[in-house]
Structure formats: structure tokens, C-alpha cells
Amino acid sequence: MNRPLEGLLVLEFCQFLAGPSAGLKLADLGARVIKIERPKTGDACRQLSIKNLFVDDDSLLFHTINRNKESYAADLKNPEDLEKLKKLISKADVMTHNFRPGVMEKIGLDYDNVQQINPKIIYGMVTGYGNDGPWRNKPGQDLLVQSVSGLTFLSGLDTDGPVPFGLSVSDIMCGNHLAQGIMAALIKRAKINKSVLVEVSLLESILDVQFEVITTYLNDGGKLPDRSGAKGSAHAYLSAPYGMYETKNGHIAMAMGNLPNICAIIKCDIDDLYVEAGSAFENRDKLIIRLAETFKKNDTGFWVNLLESNGIWCAEVLNYQTATALNTYKKLEIEQHLDLGKGVKIKTTVSPIRLDNEKLFAAKAAPKLGFNTEEINKEFELT
């Protein structure tokens, strides 16, 4: 299958997660992505592991983010290597980096200088808190960005204090935004035939993720999100029944719906708590507790069948073991095997995008550090 970004050359001066995850999206869509890595150590993510899981000397996390890419080793402080990179930049379509503000200026690879090298380059930048402003030099790390964005006061109970997400949501969303910006810039370049600067920050990305609740806050007299004190409540701004409830053998998730109708179906008496529509939020905690008492009386399957047969949106709450065993999960073909050679394979996810009914399975695993340096030197006549 011909992928839409085939023929596009992307140079990735990025490490860790946000910038490389954008490169991953572009590579899955057919772009040729060359990682520019420092000799000997490479992308710091090679040694950043989750649960201390390593495969062939590199972290499993690195393999997850850098499939379908090539690796070119170059020392940005070495004049000879820098000249090679400038030649490579002159032939590239896209260049991305996530260095701290001022670093690329020092070595002459900032946007203004790169425009002189390649007047049609798409130049993508990732920062923690923006390229200007008082926080421009603060470390842009996912948990720290979650912490200063208000995000950690949306989940959990009102007595829990701040609750961080259990994944790198700031990095992942910032990578998505960078990929979107680059593809929009490619369309713009096709119209104006000039270079385009694309800038994203971790903080802006995680604030954008919260657009619905921040908009509510800004238009609700500055009132803070009202997290529930009842176990299972899932949204600080939504009323009962929205949440998760324990059943006799597991848990059930309830989306929004007509509360009196739902309670009539499950035979839960709420007449003393529900007087009119506003009661669903005013008495949210008491209503959630009342619903929870009812749901504990029977199995999850019983409740799901009963509610779905009456047109009520709900779902069984699954963990990874039960979720990945579903036929629905298998039908999605969300898993793929990457061959690292010498009989070593890893299992990971695949792009969620289908094109012309085909999944975008990866052609190759993440590269060894500097594995493609010599062939790239020859191909682009860099030496």
C-alpha cells in the first residue's frame, strides 16, 4: 500500500517522548524519519525504562516510540558533523527538535538559520512552556506539566488531593499536536512554496486536552471543579449517574442518561433525592451512593444486559487481561510484532488509522544507535 507521506524526509532532533511520538505518527503514515542522535549514548530514552524492561540494550519504551525510523549518529558540537547535518537539512522536508530555548541558536540550527539552508523546510519545535516567557527554561517533564496545568484536580475523590494520570498524557498529546501541525504546515507550504514554523508546548497541549472543563471554569464564575466525595464518580462537572459502580463480581460504567428512567429499570428508589433535573448534580454524591447499593446486588453481566436492552449506555469495566481477550479487541488488529533480528521479537500496538481498509503495520523495529549513519552519508553525499 502506498502511504500518504511516502517520499517525505523528516529529521528528528528529539529525545524522550513528545517529539519522537510525533515522528512515530509520521513514520507510520509513510514518512522517512531519521533520528539524529549523539554518538555513544543516543536518545536518552534508550535508557529510560518502564518497569526496568530492556530489549537488546535499549529500553522497551524506546522500541515502542521509535519503530519505522533510522538512526544517524552526529555530534552537534563537532564542526564536521555539523556541516554534514546542514547538507542533510538542505534536502529534508521536515525538521523537528525539542531542545531547550537557545540551544539551536548557539549551533546555528535555529529556524532563521535553517531557513537560509533550506527555504522550504517545515521546522517543528517542542518546548515545555513556550519559547518565550518566564518559564521558558523550566524542565518540560510530563508529571510536572500535569501538576501546573490543573489536570490533577479532575480525577479521584475530593479528599484525595491531586491525582496524576497513570500515563504520559502531556507528552503523548503534545506529540499528536506536533504531527497535526506538521501536516497542516505541509499543506500551507504547498500553497506558498515557503518554509513554515510549527511550535507546540507540553503545557499548551495539556491545557487544550482540558478544553471542555477549562471553558466551563472560565464561564462559571471561576468556580473550581467540584470533585465528588463518593467512590466511582468520574467527572467533576457531570452529575449522577456518570461514573463506575461495584457489582457483585466486578464493576459497571454508566454514561449520562435519564436518571429517573435508569433507576426505574434497575429498581432503585431515588424519590427522596431527585425532585427535578438539577437534583442530579445537587445530590450527586448521595445519588451515586444509592445507585452503588443497588448495583452490588447483582453481577455485571446481568446489569449490562438489562440496561443495554433498554437503550441505556453502559459497559463492563475491564483490565488489560480481560480487555485484550475480547474478540472485539482482536478484530481491531491493534497489536503487531516487531522483529529485532536474531530471533528477538517484541509485541506492541499499531497505528489506529486505517487507510483504504488497511492497517498501517510497521515495516521495521526501532534502529540501533547510528545503524544508518554510513548509508545515509553515502546516499546524500555528506562526506
Side-chain angles (χ1 to χ4, degrees):
M1 177 180 67
N2 291 325
R3 302 192 182 193
L5 298 185
E6 285 183 12
L8 192 77
L9 178 58
V10 180
L11 304 182
E12 180 180 282
F13 292 77
C14 298
Q15 59 181 349
F16 293 119
L17 183 51
S21 70
L24 171 65
K25 307 298 183 189
L26 300 176
D28 280 343
L29 288 167
R32 180 182 182 183
V33 179
I34 300 176
K35 287 185 69 69
I36 310 300
E37 302 188 74
R38 61 174 64 89
K40 296 182 180 179
T41 56
D43 181 344
C45 190
R46 288 183 181 273
Q47 298 305 309
L48 179 65
S49 64
I50 294 177
K51 289 193 69 176
N52 201 33
L53 292 174
F54 282 81
V55 182
D56 268 5
D57 299 325
D58 291 319
S59 72
L60 183 62
L61 178 62
F62 177 83
H63 284 285
T64 302
I65 305 165
N66 293 284
R67 64 175 182 256
N68 267 348
K69 299 179 185 178
E70 301 171 35
S71 174
Y72 185 90
D75 182 354
L76 299 184
K77 296 179 180 179
N78 182 303
E80 292 183 6
D81 283 1
L82 197 55
E83 282 306 308
K84 292 177 185 177
L85 289 175
K86 288 179 179 179
K87 289 181 182 178
L88 195 54
I89 289 170
S90 72
K91 301 175 182 181
D93 296 288
V94 178
M95 170 181 169
T96 63
H97 79 81
N98 64 347
F99 288 107
R100 295 188 312 276
V103 171
M104 291 303 245
E105 284 80 359
K106 287 181 181 178
I107 60 175
L109 292 184
D110 55 293
Y111 179 55
D112 288 341
N113 280 303
V114 167
Q115 276 185 297
Q116 303 302 313
I117 300 169
N118 185 340
K120 297 182 182 180
I121 196 84
I122 304 298
Y123 191 98
M125 294 173 51
V126 178
T127 62
Y129 307 92
N131 201 40
D132 298 304
W135 284 6
R136 66 193 299 267
N137 290 315
K138 284 175 69 73
Q141 194 276 336
D142 187 89
L143 179 61
L144 306 185
V145 174
Q146 288 191 43
S147 300
V148 300
S149 71
L151 180 71
T152 59
F153 285 97
L154 294 179
S155 300
L157 303 180
D158 58 3
T159 56
D160 286 341
V163 178
F165 269 55
L167 73 165
S168 301
V169 62
S170 306
D171 284 324
I172 294 166
M173 290 310 303
C174 189
N176 286 340
H177 288 146
L178 179 58
Q180 291 170 11
I182 287 170
M183 286 186 275
L186 288 167
I187 295 172
K188 181 177 180 179
R189 186 183 68 177
K191 295 177 180 178
I192 66 174
N193 205 32
K194 294 180 181 178
S195 63
V196 182
L197 174 63
V198 179
E199 298 177 86
V200 294
S201 74
L202 296 176
L203 182 56
E204 287 169 291
S205 284
I206 203 59
L207 289 171
D208 179 74
V209 169
Q210 302 173 75
F211 73 92
E212 59 169 335
V213 289
I214 289 178
T215 301
T216 303
Y217 165 76
L218 293 174
N219 292 276
D220 189 34
K223 297 174 186 176
L224 291 173
D226 183 15
R227 292 188 295 176
S228 173
K231 181 181 178 182
S233 177
H235 199 297
Y237 284 109
L238 293 182
S239 59
Y242 199 84
M244 294 182 179
Y245 300 88
E246 186 177 356
T247 66
K248 207 176 211 181
N249 67 338
H251 292 82
I252 186 172
M254 297 293 300
M256 290 302 295
N258 183 287
L259 185 59
N261 183 35
I262 291 170
C263 288
I265 293 168
I266 66 174
K267 295 181 171 55
C268 176
D269 184 7
I270 59 168
D271 287 346
D272 58 324
L273 298 175
Y274 191 92
V275 179
E276 46 83 31
S279 302
F281 197 89
E282 292 168 10
N283 293 328
R284 178 182 60 185
D285 289 11
K286 292 178 181 178
L287 286 164
I288 288 174
I289 292 170
R290 183 75 56 83
L291 287 164
E293 292 170 352
T294 300
F295 280 120
K296 284 181 181 178
K297 295 177 182 178
N298 224 315
D299 291 346
T300 304
F302 170 84
W303 293 121
V304 170
N305 290 333
L306 174 63
L307 290 164
E308 287 189 338
S309 66
N310 283 276
I312 305 300
W313 292 6
C314 64
E316 182 179 3
V317 180
L318 307 175
N319 60 26
Y320 284 154
Q321 288 178 329
T322 50
T324 57
L326 291 176
N327 286 331
T328 297
Y329 175 91
K330 294 172 182 176
K331 181 70 174 177
L332 293 174
E333 297 181 289
I334 200 65
E335 294 180 4
Q336 64 181 336
H337 287 87
L338 300 179
D339 189 350
L340 277 64
K342 298 181 180 178
V344 179
K345 292 185 179 181
I346 62 169
K347 187 183 292 187
T348 186
T349 56
V350 65
S351 171
I353 299 170
R354 277 184 169 83
L355 293 177
D356 294 330
N357 298 315
E358 290 191 40
K359 293 285 288 187
L360 303 175
F361 290 103
K364 55 188 177 184
K368 289 281 192 181
L369 173 58
F371 181 79
N372 308 99
T373 303
E374 289 305 315
E375 63 184 57
I376 291 171
N377 279 336
K378 293 177 181 177
E379 179 184 354
F380 292 97
E381 301 178 349
L382 304 182
T383 54

